[in-house]
Amino acid sequence: MEKFRYIQKVKEVYSNGGNIIDYLKRASNSNVNTVEDIMISYDFQAGTYIKFYYQNKEYYENYCSSLAKVINGLCNFNSIIEIGVGEATTLANLLVKLKKRPSYIYGFDISWSRLKFAKNFLKDFSFNNVKLFTADLFDIPLPDNSFDIVYTSHSIEPNGGKEEAALKELYRITKKYLVLLEPSYEFGNQEAKKRIERLGYVKDLYKISKQLGYKIIEHRLFDYYSNPLNPTALLIIEKNSTNDNNKPTLLCPISRTKLHKYNKNLIYSKESHLAYPVIDNIPCILKDNAILAFHLLTDYENFKTMNNII
């Protein structure tokens, strides 16, 4: 995480109302939004979406009601995950409106601080069984065909230029339907298109999905969006997985082996010997969080006995 060295300056930029991603791109002479840029920006902004929710409850009511109508009409489903769940302002309101509460409810974000707020926001709605974890959109620590419903809400937005990679990874973990609510370059006016280009947002998700051979069952301008210069498109992709037996389980993003709970502060892959921290009950499963701990399970007394150490 090379750009962590800029954190003190980022604090100054943020406190003065500046754009963190713009600053980080200038600092590294880059013209694209990196995963690290996005992580730092979102982590500093944690809490702002909950503030926005309480100031715009009617908008969320309409937005999530429309999303619930879409998802309720797709299929019978037992698992759902929000990609880039942020502070769970969409997830919590969506769950209230689903006809059936799925057994497996997951959400991940690249920012731990946003998930801290999400965990508490979900508790405000009496949802205590949602599995939250940090992860990278491009290295999701989940098996193929894990979730009946995979959905986004402006979460792959800042990853312009990486549309194909994002779509492939989301499609990989989808079992039945991938539902995308993302910026609409196609349906935007000229001013909106210029803004999307300037901010490095995703474009052409419909076109790229078609090129990848995905089965698109709906593509239209969504019913509600908060900013006319950032209109939301609904894109629904159907996937008929031949493997319906996979259940959501956390994997090591490096070895793709199962992660087991070691204690309340650590999860561990017995196969790869890589461990990942758990902070405030939130597993941190970015590749950069990995700790090589070959002897984590070694019992010291047994070690002495086996090696004839007195």
PDB file of all heavy atoms in Angstrom, residues 297-309:
ATOM      1  N   LEU A 297      -0.709 -23.436  13.914  1.00  0.00           N
ATOM      2  CA  LEU A 297      -1.383 -24.538  14.585  1.00  0.00           C
ATOM      3  C   LEU A 297      -0.421 -25.458  15.341  1.00  0.00           C
ATOM      4  O   LEU A 297      -0.843 -26.462  15.922  1.00  0.00           O
ATOM      5  CB  LEU A 297      -2.184 -25.358  13.572  1.00  0.00           C
ATOM      6  CG  LEU A 297      -3.223 -24.575  12.761  1.00  0.00           C
ATOM      7  CD1 LEU A 297      -3.959 -25.503  11.801  1.00  0.00           C
ATOM      8  CD2 LEU A 297      -4.201 -23.865  13.681  1.00  0.00           C
ATOM      9  N   THR A 298       0.853 -25.131  15.330  1.00  0.00           N
ATOM     10  CA  THR A 298       1.832 -25.958  16.044  1.00  0.00           C
ATOM     11  C   THR A 298       1.680 -25.787  17.549  1.00  0.00           C
ATOM     12  O   THR A 298       1.689 -24.658  18.049  1.00  0.00           O
ATOM     13  CB  THR A 298       3.260 -25.585  15.627  1.00  0.00           C
ATOM     14  OG1 THR A 298       3.420 -25.819  14.221  1.00  0.00           O
ATOM     15  CG2 THR A 298       4.287 -26.404  16.400  1.00  0.00           C
ATOM     16  N   ASP A 299       1.547 -26.895  18.249  1.00  0.00           N
ATOM     17  CA  ASP A 299       1.505 -26.862  19.712  1.00  0.00           C
ATOM     18  C   ASP A 299       2.932 -26.915  20.256  1.00  0.00           C
ATOM     19  O   ASP A 299       3.693 -27.839  19.927  1.00  0.00           O
ATOM     20  CB  ASP A 299       0.701 -28.046  20.244  1.00  0.00           C
ATOM     21  CG  ASP A 299       0.584 -28.031  21.759  1.00  0.00           C
ATOM     22  OD1 ASP A 299      -0.330 -27.388  22.279  1.00  0.00           O
ATOM     23  OD2 ASP A 299       1.451 -28.663  22.409  1.00  0.00           O
ATOM     24  N   TYR A 300       3.274 -25.940  21.051  1.00  0.00           N
ATOM     25  CA  TYR A 300       4.665 -25.823  21.502  1.00  0.00           C
ATOM     26  C   TYR A 300       5.093 -27.021  22.342  1.00  0.00           C
ATOM     27  O   TYR A 300       6.206 -27.535  22.188  1.00  0.00           O
ATOM     28  CB  TYR A 300       4.835 -24.522  22.290  1.00  0.00           C
ATOM     29  CG  TYR A 300       6.259 -24.272  22.758  1.00  0.00           C
ATOM     30  CD1 TYR A 300       7.286 -24.131  21.832  1.00  0.00           C
ATOM     31  CD2 TYR A 300       6.568 -24.187  24.111  1.00  0.00           C
ATOM     32  CE1 TYR A 300       8.591 -23.900  22.240  1.00  0.00           C
ATOM     33  CE2 TYR A 300       7.867 -23.950  24.531  1.00  0.00           C
ATOM     34  CZ  TYR A 300       8.869 -23.816  23.596  1.00  0.00           C
ATOM     35  OH  TYR A 300      10.163 -23.592  24.006  1.00  0.00           O
ATOM     36  N   GLU A 301       4.236 -27.498  23.225  1.00  0.00           N
ATOM     37  CA  GLU A 301       4.607 -28.636  24.078  1.00  0.00           C
ATOM     38  C   GLU A 301       4.796 -29.898  23.241  1.00  0.00           C
ATOM     39  O   GLU A 301       5.727 -30.677  23.481  1.00  0.00           O
ATOM     40  CB  GLU A 301       3.543 -28.855  25.156  1.00  0.00           C
ATOM     41  CG  GLU A 301       3.423 -27.712  26.156  1.00  0.00           C
ATOM     42  CD  GLU A 301       4.744 -27.427  26.870  1.00  0.00           C
ATOM     43  OE1 GLU A 301       5.478 -28.397  27.172  1.00  0.00           O
ATOM     44  OE2 GLU A 301       5.043 -26.234  27.093  1.00  0.00           O
ATOM     45  N   ASN A 302       3.922 -30.109  22.257  1.00  0.00           N
ATOM     46  CA  ASN A 302       4.097 -31.253  21.356  1.00  0.00           C
ATOM     47  C   ASN A 302       5.372 -31.121  20.541  1.00  0.00           C
ATOM     48  O   ASN A 302       6.065 -32.111  20.273  1.00  0.00           O
ATOM     49  CB  ASN A 302       2.891 -31.363  20.414  1.00  0.00           C
ATOM     50  CG  ASN A 302       1.659 -31.870  21.112  1.00  0.00           C
ATOM     51  OD1 ASN A 302       1.744 -32.447  22.197  1.00  0.00           O
ATOM     52  ND2 ASN A 302       0.497 -31.655  20.499  1.00  0.00           N
ATOM     53  N   PHE A 303       5.668 -29.898  20.136  1.00  0.00           N
ATOM     54  CA  PHE A 303       6.899 -29.649  19.388  1.00  0.00           C
ATOM     55  C   PHE A 303       8.124 -30.078  20.201  1.00  0.00           C
ATOM     56  O   PHE A 303       9.030 -30.740  19.690  1.00  0.00           O
ATOM     57  CB  PHE A 303       6.978 -28.158  19.037  1.00  0.00           C
ATOM     58  CG  PHE A 303       8.331 -27.701  18.566  1.00  0.00           C
ATOM     59  CD1 PHE A 303       8.769 -27.948  17.284  1.00  0.00           C
ATOM     60  CD2 PHE A 303       9.183 -27.016  19.436  1.00  0.00           C
ATOM     61  CE1 PHE A 303      10.022 -27.530  16.856  1.00  0.00           C
ATOM     62  CE2 PHE A 303      10.431 -26.588  19.016  1.00  0.00           C
ATOM     63  CZ  PHE A 303      10.848 -26.845  17.722  1.00  0.00           C
ATOM     64  N   LYS A 304       8.147 -29.720  21.480  1.00  0.00           N
ATOM     65  CA  LYS A 304       9.280 -30.097  22.335  1.00  0.00           C
ATOM     66  C   LYS A 304       9.378 -31.607  22.510  1.00  0.00           C
ATOM     67  O   LYS A 304      10.462 -32.175  22.464  1.00  0.00           O
ATOM     68  CB  LYS A 304       9.162 -29.407  23.698  1.00  0.00           C
ATOM     69  CG  LYS A 304       9.389 -27.910  23.656  1.00  0.00           C
ATOM     70  CD  LYS A 304       9.645 -27.330  25.030  1.00  0.00           C
ATOM     71  CE  LYS A 304       8.441 -27.442  25.938  1.00  0.00           C
ATOM     72  NZ  LYS A 304       8.695 -26.836  27.257  1.00  0.00           N
ATOM     73  N   THR A 305       8.225 -32.231  22.693  1.00  0.00           N
ATOM     74  CA  THR A 305       8.229 -33.678  22.876  1.00  0.00           C
ATOM     75  C   THR A 305       8.719 -34.406  21.629  1.00  0.00           C
ATOM     76  O   THR A 305       9.559 -35.309  21.698  1.00  0.00           O
ATOM     77  CB  THR A 305       6.802 -34.163  23.221  1.00  0.00           C
ATOM     78  OG1 THR A 305       6.375 -33.530  24.422  1.00  0.00           O
ATOM     79  CG2 THR A 305       6.766 -35.672  23.397  1.00  0.00           C
ATOM     80  N   MET A 306       8.213 -34.006  20.498  1.00  0.00           N
ATOM     81  CA  MET A 306       8.578 -34.659  19.236  1.00  0.00           C
ATOM     82  C   MET A 306      10.054 -34.455  18.893  1.00  0.00           C
ATOM     83  O   MET A 306      10.674 -35.271  18.197  1.00  0.00           O
ATOM     84  CB  MET A 306       7.716 -34.141  18.107  1.00  0.00           C
ATOM     85  CG  MET A 306       6.244 -34.557  18.201  1.00  0.00           C
ATOM     86  SD  MET A 306       5.220 -33.830  16.905  1.00  0.00           S
ATOM     87  CE  MET A 306       5.976 -34.550  15.448  1.00  0.00           C
ATOM     88  N   ASN A 307      10.624 -33.390  19.359  1.00  0.00           N
ATOM     89  CA  ASN A 307      12.030 -33.097  19.055  1.00  0.00           C
ATOM     90  C   ASN A 307      12.958 -33.387  20.232  1.00  0.00           C
ATOM     91  O   ASN A 307      14.113 -32.941  20.239  1.00  0.00           O
ATOM     92  CB  ASN A 307      12.159 -31.635  18.635  1.00  0.00           C
ATOM     93  CG  ASN A 307      11.563 -31.361  17.267  1.00  0.00           C
ATOM     94  OD1 ASN A 307      12.207 -31.581  16.232  1.00  0.00           O
ATOM     95  ND2 ASN A 307      10.312 -30.908  17.258  1.00  0.00           N
ATOM     96  N   ASN A 308      12.435 -34.138  21.205  1.00  0.00           N
ATOM     97  CA  ASN A 308      13.244 -34.545  22.355  1.00  0.00           C
ATOM     98  C   ASN A 308      13.906 -33.360  23.061  1.00  0.00           C
ATOM     99  O   ASN A 308      15.086 -33.419  23.443  1.00  0.00           O
ATOM    100  CB  ASN A 308      14.294 -35.555  21.926  1.00  0.00           C
ATOM    101  CG  ASN A 308      13.672 -36.835  21.388  1.00  0.00           C
ATOM    102  OD1 ASN A 308      12.724 -37.351  21.974  1.00  0.00           O
ATOM    103  ND2 ASN A 308      14.204 -37.321  20.263  1.00  0.00           N
ATOM    104  N   ILE A 309      13.138 -32.272  23.153  1.00  0.00           N
ATOM    105  CA  ILE A 309      13.660 -31.093  23.846  1.00  0.00           C
ATOM    106  C   ILE A 309      13.209 -31.140  25.292  1.00  0.00           C
ATOM    107  O   ILE A 309      12.027 -31.291  25.592  1.00  0.00           O
ATOM    108  CB  ILE A 309      13.155 -29.804  23.175  1.00  0.00           C
ATOM    109  CG1 ILE A 309      13.664 -29.723  21.728  1.00  0.00           C
ATOM    110  CG2 ILE A 309      13.584 -28.582  23.970  1.00  0.00           C
ATOM    111  CD1 ILE A 309      13.057 -28.568  20.955  1.00  0.00           C
TER     112      ILE A 309
END
